[in-house]
């Protein structure tokens, strides 16, 4: 079985709600902004690149928050979650397959559970149990990370 490695940026608002993107595909669903880690790319670099592509924003990436593994469409998917803070731009659905974005509380996500991607389900469950303190601590810009 092949393994797909992905990295996502966890962006929260002042109420600790998590930003998710809505994918407009034959099976629409809400998912964490992020994507495939390219060959030779660190997960943190993938988060910066993917959020620029998907949301049109620059982000400072913090520490790794956690992750999950699951099987989908005959392949193993390894997900890595990183805290991210927007440092430039306003988020918008920046790719054709996305048609919306929204901040979710745990209760709101639970109401749409069947519409969440497997990665988003794992993340929202993790955030419910461990998410206190996400939202600004330990997040450094790319320039600060290289000092």
């Amino acid at each position: 079985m092949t393994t797909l490695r992905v990295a996502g940026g966890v962006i929260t608002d002042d109420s600790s709600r998590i930003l998710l993107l809505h994918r407009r595909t034959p099976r629409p669903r809400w998912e964490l902004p992020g994507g495939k880690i390219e060959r030779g790319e660190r997960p943190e670099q993938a988060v910066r690149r993917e959020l620029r592509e998907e949301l049109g924003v620059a982000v400072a990436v913090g520490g790794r928050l956690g992750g999950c593994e699951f099987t989908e469409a005959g392949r193993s998917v390894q997900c890595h979650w990183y805290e991210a803070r927007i440092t430039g731009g306003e988020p918008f659905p920046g790719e054709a397959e996305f048609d919306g974005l929204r901040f979710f509380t745990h209760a709101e996500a639970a109401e749409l559970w069947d519409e969440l991607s497997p990665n988003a389900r794992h993340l929202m469950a993790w955030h419910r149990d461990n998410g206190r303190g996400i939202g600004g601590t330990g997040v450094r810009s790319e320039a600060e990370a290289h000092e």
Side-chain angles (χ1 to χ4, degrees):
M1 179 181 311
T2 61
T3 299
L4 177 65
R5 295 179 58 231
V6 299
V10 179
I11 298 172
T12 57
D13 65 7
D14 292 338
S15 300
S16 294
R17 298 178 304 167
I18 293 179
L19 181 67
L20 298 177
L21 275 167
H22 190 259
R23 183 178 289 272
R24 174 184 44 195
T25 58
R27 183 172 177 237
R29 61 187 184 183
W30 291 95
E31 59 187 53
L32 180 66
K36 182 180 174 186
I37 301 170
E38 301 291 343
R39 172 172 261 126
E41 188 176 48
R42 293 189 329 266
E44 299 91 333
Q45 293 170 315
V47 170
R48 283 185 199 95
R49 178 182 50 76
E50 288 286 346
L51 272 59
R52 185 174 46 253
E53 293 170 2
E54 293 181 354
L55 298 174
V57 296
V59 297
V61 178
R64 186 174 185 274
L65 297 172
C68 67
E69 286 190 45
F70 58 89
T71 301
E72 183 177 54
R75 64 181 171 191
S76 173
V77 181
Q78 289 180 346
C79 303
H80 305 272
W81 309 322
Y82 287 83
E83 186 174 7
R85 180 176 41 87
I86 296 173
T87 59
E90 288 293 321
F92 67 94
E95 294 182 336
E97 67 262 27
F98 299 114
D99 63 359
L101 55 88
R102 178 177 153 199
F103 285 95
F104 283 88
T105 65
H106 302 119
E108 292 166 339
E111 291 175 12
L112 299 171
W113 199 254
D114 290 340
E115 296 177 39
L116 298 179
S117 71
N119 187 22
R121 288 181 193 164
H122 286 281
L123 172 68
M124 295 306 287
W126 177 88
H127 189 253
R128 178 194 62 224
D129 297 337
N130 305 292
R132 288 179 185 77
I134 296 176
T137 58
V139 179
R140 301 183 302 164
S141 70
E142 188 169 5
E144 292 169 325
H146 288 57
E147 290 178 350

